[in-house]
Amino acid sequence: MGAEAKHIGVAMVESKAKLMSVKRGEPTLVPPAEATPTGEQYYLSNLDQNIAVIVQTVYCFKCPSGRGHEGAADALRAALARVLVHYHPLAGRLGISPEMKLTVECTGEGAPFVEADAACDLADVGDLSTPDPAALGQLVYSVPGANNILEMPPITAQVTRFKCGGFSLGLAMNHCMFDGLGAMEFVNSWAEMARGAAELTVPPFMDRTVLRARDPPVISFPHREFEEIADVSGMAALYGGQELIYRSFCFDPDRLERVRALALAGGDLERCTTFEALSGLVWRARTAALGLAPEQQTKLLFAVDGRRRFVPPLPKGYFGNGIVLTNALAVAGDLLAAPVSRAAGMVQEAVRMVTDEYMRSAVDYFEATRARPSLASTLLITTWSRLAFDGADFGWGEPAMSGPVTLPEKEVILFLAHGKERKSINVLLGLPASAMDAFKELMDEI
């Protein structure tokens, strides 16, 4: 990207944020509509402990002609009160248990809810395909002055009305409360309540003690996801010295097929999923774009849904994180010298590693060490490609679009399903400007 194009890009982002000019009302607390258990602590499993980051998402509703956003905020507030009866820990606050772990204090005080008005039309927001914290952050409520996650409620909601009659729902949810699938079930349940349902199609299964650690803990795998890797490539200086540029790259079905063909070309793999092929490609391309030293170790982390892999499987509607991190490690020079099939094969191995015993071992590893996964010289891929957030019809039709406000860490790449039939995948990432130029060139070759 030339200096001029970059300047225009920055100016466009700034003008979009200014154009929206969102005015928020005072937040109110929405407690559960009926009495719920209070005065106790709600147990969070070891799989919940390490991902206590706030995830911000925005859903945009165009609204049927003639109806507009009239009554939307009231309807969503009333339905939130009703769904919190089923999901009552979300009305509590995070605390620390006697074992010095995160827990939920069941206070029943409620979720902060904010109404807001934007000075523009929904169309001015764009298509949400690229994270844009300055603009999209205005559509989500963050508690002012909160210094850490203990001072942030598990969930906040903001309904923003647009001049065109459309509205958006912005959510800030703590990942320790649920993973992507759990969050989707919660939002869809909330939407069901707003449409007048008396019962939930998928009631939440609340008891997270099914994932308690074994006593004594049994660590049967090396769990290299926690390994600290030395930065011998000057990455800290590169990230510190340049602006982080966010971009999205769309892979339509034809392009995804080309990526899979690349992964199968070497003859190393008999078969390979789209996720494995795309992850291998992106890991390799990012390694090249960042100019990692040939001897630099690099780690790939990604979450695997363990719900069906546990023995017995987690109950339907499990409320909590059912995902487990798995990993692959390579030396940068070897990764780049080998074809894409080698990287895709390593991803495949990492998926295969996730058995019931591996996941129980990961739970026990945290119990014994309290270690946090290290993101040094690491790429963390998170995938929302299978999450059907389009089911979130609160009575104003399905969302015209939905997406993340920002990526939680600079090491994160997000795969987001795209298009009407969700057959395409948007790859969202942030890189230092020079590395983004190099990454784009590599993507343009496919």
Side-chain angles (χ1 to χ4, degrees), residues 178-217:
F178 27 44
D179 54 22
L181 188 62
M184 181 189 78
E185 287 175 347
F186 165 71
V187 171
N188 290 350
S189 295
W190 180 2
E192 274 188 321
M193 287 284 169
R195 296 196 307 271
E199 295 295 325
L200 299 181
T201 305
V202 183
F205 178 87
M206 303 296 284
D207 183 10
R208 302 189 190 195
T209 62
V210 294
L211 291 183
R212 266 200 199 284
R214 294 171 288 198
D215 187 13

Side-chain angles (χ1 to χ4, degrees), residues 422-433:
R422 310 178 68 77
K423 295 273 175 63
S424 300
I425 294 177
N426 262 338
V427 175
L428 313 184
L429 77 159
L431 283 172

Side-chain angles (χ1 to χ4, degrees), residues 78-260:
L80 177 58
R82 290 176 61 213
V83 82
L84 286 177
V85 174
H86 302 271
Y87 284 89
H88 71 87
L90 294 177
R93 294 296 179 265
L94 289 178
I96 302 292
S97 73
E99 297 80 37
M100 299 306 291
K101 290 185 191 172
L102 273 179
T103 185
V104 180
E105 304 284 354
C106 293
T107 61
E109 61 197 275
F113 188 95
V114 177
E115 293 185 45
D117 292 283
C120 64
D121 290 347
L122 203 47
D124 298 321
V125 174
D127 67 354
L128 301 187
S129 65
T130 307
D132 182 355
L136 300 179
Q138 297 182 51
L139 303 178
V140 177
Y141 177 67
S142 300
V143 175
N147 298 313
N148 58 57
I149 54 154
L150 296 179
E151 296 175 8
M152 300 172 193
I155 180 172
T156 73
Q158 177 178 319
V159 172
T160 307
R161 295 173 284 256
F162 288 83
K163 290 168 92 174
C164 58
F167 71 94
S168 66
L169 171 62
L171 299 178
M173 301 191 277
N174 195 314
H175 208 315
C176 70
M177 299 310 293
F178 27 44
D179 54 22
L181 188 62
M184 181 189 78
E185 287 175 347
F186 165 71
V187 171
N188 290 350
S189 295
W190 180 2
E192 274 188 321
M193 287 284 169
R195 296 196 307 271
E199 295 295 325
L200 299 181
T201 305
V202 183
F205 178 87
M206 303 296 284
D207 183 10
R208 302 189 190 195
T209 62
V210 294
L211 291 183
R212 266 200 199 284
R214 294 171 288 198
D215 187 13
V218 181
I219 300 165
S220 44
F221 286 82
H223 294 292
R224 300 183 74 184
E225 62 269 30
F226 296 93
E227 205 165 286
E228 188 81 40
I229 296 175
D231 173 14
V232 298
S233 304
M235 282 302 102
L238 177 66
Y239 274 95
Q242 293 187 28
E243 185 189 357
L244 209 59
I245 303 289
Y246 290 99
R247 285 196 73 126
S248 72
F249 297 87
C250 185
F251 287 78
D252 61 19
D254 290 345
R255 203 172 178 199
L256 288 171
E257 208 37 64
R258 288 201 293 278
V259 174
R260 280 189 69 238

Side-chain angles (χ1 to χ4, degrees), residues 356-395:
D356 177 72
E357 181 51 38
Y358 175 87
M359 295 187 291
R360 303 273 175 199
S361 173
V363 167
D364 291 1
Y365 188 93
F366 181 83
E367 192 69 19
T369 65
R370 301 297 171 92
R372 304 209 168 277
S374 166
L375 290 181
S377 194
T378 295
L379 166 60
L380 173 56
I381 292 179
T382 177
T383 174
W384 291 7
S385 52
R386 294 194 207 92
L387 301 180
F389 280 104
D390 299 350
D393 176 359
F394 290 87

